[in-house]
Amino acid sequence: MNHYDLAIIGAGPAGMAAAVTAAESGLQVALIDEQARPGGQIYRNVGSPALRQREILGPDYYAGERLVEALDHPQITDFSGAMVWEVRTDTLCLTVDGQSRQIGFQRLLIATGAQERPVPFPGWTTPGVMTCGAAQIMLKTSGLAPNGPLIIAGSGPLLLLIACQLSRAGVEIEALLETTPRRRYLESLSAWPGALRGWRYLLKGASMLAELRRRGVKHLTGVSQLRAEADAEGQLCGLSYHRGGHQQRLDCATLLVHQGVVPNVQLSRSIGAAHDWDEVQQCWRPRLDPYGETTQAGVFIAGDGGGIGGALVAELQGRRAANRIANQLSRLGATEFEHRANSLQRQIDFQLAIRPFLDRLYRPADEFLRPSDETLVCRCEEVRAGEIRQLARGGCAGPNQAKAFSRAGMGPCQGRLCGLTVSQLMAEASDRPVAEVGYYNIRSPIKPVTLGEVAGLAADQDQQPQAPQIAEPSAVSNYQRSVSR
C-alpha cells in the first residue's frame, strides 16, 4: 500500500488547485477522480475538448486548461478513473480498472463538488426529461446535444448558461421557462449591496439574457405547476404549466430541468463529520473551520462540497486548504502561511459577495422542495411523496426509520436523489425543523462495488498474512446490507 502526505478526492477546480499548491510545498499528493481526465464537472474534458468551436462553451470553461496543465508535477500521482468507496481514518479504499486497492494518507481533502438539486415534479421520470447538467455533460464529453423541440425549465444561473451554449451549438430552443417565484426578487433585496460588489456576475447574466433575445429564444417568467406529459408509448411529448392565471402547454421531445446545485455531502457524512442545515440554500453543508477542516481532524473540504461558491471560489479554497495542510505537516512556515491565508481570504470574500443575493433569489419554489403527494420522490424504489408524508404522520422519526418502511434511499443512488426531499417532506408533515428531522446515515461502500472488489483488497497488501484487517466487519457487513437492500 502506497502512502501519501495528502490524498485528494475529486479533480475539479478545488482538487486540481490544491494538488498543485501542495506539490509545490513538497508534499506527496494522490489525486483521485472517477473521470478519465481531470476537470470535474465544470471543466469536464477540458484537456481534450470534444467541441472544436470554443465559443460554444465559452471562455469560463476553457479557464480550466491552466489547472490541468499544472498537474504535470512529479509530486502528484494521478488516479484517474478511480472510484473511492470507503474512507477510513488514514486509508482510502478505491477501485481502479475493476481492481481494488488501498492508499494511505496523513491528510485528506474532499473536493467532490456539488450535485444538481433533485427536481421532483409530476412526470419528472418520463423518458425525455433530463437535467441541465446532463445536457452539459453531453456537450463537453461527446459534442452531442438533446433532440428538439427542446424546452428548458427551472431556476438558477445554469439555466441561462446551458440555454446559450445549446443555442450556440445550433439547437433550436422552443422556450426558456423560469420558475423563480416573483416574491424571491423582494426577498433578495436585503442582499443587494453584496450583489453590487459582484456586478461582474450581474453583467454576465444580463449579457446572456441579451444573447438569448438576439437568438429568438422565448423567455417566460413566473411559471409554476410543471407537469411532463407522455404519449401512448410513454415518451415525453409536452409540458404543461401555469402562468398568468392560466394553464398552458408546449410540445417538446426533450425537457431540461434545473433547480440549482447543492453540496455533495455523501463522503463527508460517511466519515461522521458534523453538518448543519442551511435554511437559505435549503441544503446540508459540512461544518468547517476557516481553512476548510471538518470536525474530523485532518479531513478538509474545499469547493462546492462545503457550500456553493462556483469554480473560482473552489480554486481559491483548494489552495487555502493545501496551504493549511502544508503548514500542519511542517512544510510551510507560520509567517508565509499567514500571508497566503490572508491574501486568499480577501479574494474568496470578494468572489462570494454576490452569493447571499443569488441564494435568496434562486431558492427553489416550494413545489419542488415539497412536491405533491402523487409525485415520485425516490425514483430508484418508486416511492411517492404522499407515502413519505404518511410515514411521518404515523410517527417515523426521520429518513432512516422511513427507509425501513418504504425503501426510500435504498436504491443505487443511496439517497443522493431523494435525501433532501425526504427530509423536507418529513419535516413538513411532522411540523418540525429539517435540522431536527436529519438525513440518511451514509455508510460504506459509498458507491456500488462487487464482492470481488472487496475481497481484492488483499492483493494490494502484497498478499501479507496480516491483511485480514481489510476484511473488517464494517466493510463486509455494510456491503452485505447494501446488497440486501
Side-chain angles (χ1 to χ4, degrees):
M1 179 170 63
N2 293 328
H3 292 264
Y4 298 87
D5 298 313
L6 171 62
I8 301 174
I9 305 175
M16 291 190 292
V20 173
T21 302
E24 290 173 347
S25 295
L27 301 183
Q28 289 288 341
V29 180
L31 181 60
I32 306 156
D33 196 87
E34 292 186 16
Q35 296 182 40
R37 300 182 183 91
Q41 298 301 331
I42 188 69
Y43 298 136
R44 179 183 283 265
N45 217 39
V46 71
S48 182
L51 295 169
R52 294 181 180 179
Q53 301 94 331
R54 294 172 73 95
E55 65 273 9
I56 292 177
L57 294 176
D60 287 348
Y61 169 70
Y62 291 98
E65 288 177 323
R66 57 182 174 80
L67 289 173
V68 173
E69 292 168 359
L71 292 177
D72 185 15
H73 194 289
Q75 297 287 104
I76 299 174
T77 301
D78 179 30
F79 291 88
S80 296
M83 181 187 72
V84 174
W85 50 268
E86 183 174 9
V87 180
R88 302 179 186 173
T89 304
D90 58 359
T91 310
L92 295 179
C93 300
L94 58 147
T95 298
V96 185
D97 296 328
Q99 301 295 317
S100 289
R101 61 183 303 174
Q102 291 180 307
I103 63 172
F105 60 84
Q106 291 193 65
R107 295 292 187 275
L108 174 67
L109 175 64
I110 299 174
T112 49
Q115 64 178 60
E116 282 192 274
R117 183 190 297 275
V119 190
F121 65 95
W124 72 294
T125 59
T126 303
V129 180
M130 303 169 55
T131 65
C132 287
Q136 263 201 337
I137 290 173
M138 289 175 61
L139 268 180
K140 292 175 180 178
T141 58
S142 306
L144 299 176
N147 294 327
L150 172 72
I151 294 176
I152 304 176
S155 180
L158 181 59
L159 208 68
L160 299 179
L161 177 60
I162 188 63
C164 287
Q165 290 173 338
L166 290 174
S167 184
R168 294 168 194 160
V171 177
E172 186 173 346
I173 301 172
E174 184 73 16
L176 174 65
L177 279 55
E178 283 228 39
T179 62
T180 305
R182 298 192 188 281
R183 67 178 182 276
R184 295 284 188 259
Y185 292 91
L186 292 175
E187 294 169 355
S188 62
L189 286 179
S190 61
W192 188 243
L196 292 178
R197 288 185 60 197
W199 61 268
R200 292 174 181 82
Y201 291 98
L202 295 177
L203 183 61
K204 186 179 297 184
S207 67
M208 286 191 287
L209 282 171
E211 179 180 348
L212 292 173
R213 280 196 297 269
R214 290 195 305 271
R215 294 180 178 274
V217 176
K218 185 191 305 181
H219 183 203
L220 305 178
T221 60
V223 172
S224 63
Q225 300 178 32
L226 299 183
R227 180 179 291 272
E229 300 179 352
D231 59 21
E233 297 179 351
Q235 297 292 316
L236 179 72
C237 64
L239 174 70
S240 67
Y241 58 93
H242 192 270
R243 181 174 186 262
H246 302 284
Q247 199 70 20
Q248 303 180 43
R249 186 186 183 280
L250 288 171
D251 291 334
C252 63
T254 302
L255 170 63
L256 302 183
V257 293
H258 181 73
Q259 289 293 329
V261 295
V262 294
N264 182 350
V265 297
Q266 296 293 103
L267 269 177
S268 53
R269 280 191 170 276
S270 75
I271 62 173
H275 290 70
D276 299 308
W277 178 252
D278 188 320
E279 187 63 31
V280 176
Q281 288 192 343
Q282 290 287 291
C283 64
W284 297 97
R285 57 191 299 173
R287 191 180 304 162
L288 307 176
D289 77 358
Y291 307 107
E293 190 166 10
T294 69
T295 53
Q296 295 291 326
V299 179
F300 292 72
I301 295 176
D304 285 348
I308 306 305
L312 294 179
V313 171
E315 180 181 339
L316 295 168
Q317 289 177 342
R319 298 189 190 283
R320 181 180 64 181
N323 284 326
R324 178 59 171 168
I325 291 166
N327 173 250
Q328 290 180 347
L329 299 181
S330 302
R331 304 296 181 87
L332 184 64
T335 302
E336 179 62 19
F337 165 69
E338 197 74 26
H339 172 73
R340 294 185 186 182
N342 290 336
S343 174
L344 287 169
Q345 191 59 54
R346 286 192 296 271
Q347 296 177 67
I348 291 172
D349 291 342
F350 176 77
Q351 294 293 338
L352 287 177
I354 197 173
R355 285 311 312 182
F357 171 77
L358 295 177
D359 293 343
R360 286 167 172 78
L361 177 61
Y362 292 122
R363 174 175 167 167
D366 289 344
E367 66 181 278
F368 301 107
L369 299 177
R370 292 174 286 278
S372 58
D373 282 352
E374 74 274 13
T375 305
L376 279 175
V377 294
C378 176
R379 63 187 306 169
C380 298
E381 299 294 334
E382 298 186 343
V383 181
R384 299 184 184 276
E387 186 176 349
I388 299 298
R389 287 190 174 99
Q390 185 177 3
L391 289 171
R393 294 180 185 125
C396 273
N400 294 294
Q401 190 177 7
K403 179 191 293 186
F405 288 94
S406 69
R407 295 185 58 85
M410 287 189 176
C413 84
Q414 294 290 283
R416 288 175 180 82
L417 292 179
C418 68
L420 277 176
T421 308
V422 168
S423 293
Q424 290 172 308
L425 287 171
M426 298 195 76
E428 174 203 43
S430 59
D431 195 25
R432 291 184 294 157
V434 179
E436 182 181 323
V437 169
Y439 190 75
Y440 293 128
N441 293 328
I442 307 299
R443 300 181 179 92
S444 62
I446 303 301
K447 298 286 183 72
V449 293
T450 65
L451 282 172
E453 287 171 331
V454 176
L457 288 176
D460 190 50
Q461 293 293 309
D462 295 326
Q463 305 189 10
Q464 296 285 338
Q466 63 267 30
Q469 65 172 14
I470 62 163
E472 61 186 19
S474 64
V476 176
S477 61
N478 284 337
Y479 174 75
Q480 291 170 335
R481 280 196 293 270
S482 72
V483 171
S484 65
R485 293 181 304 201

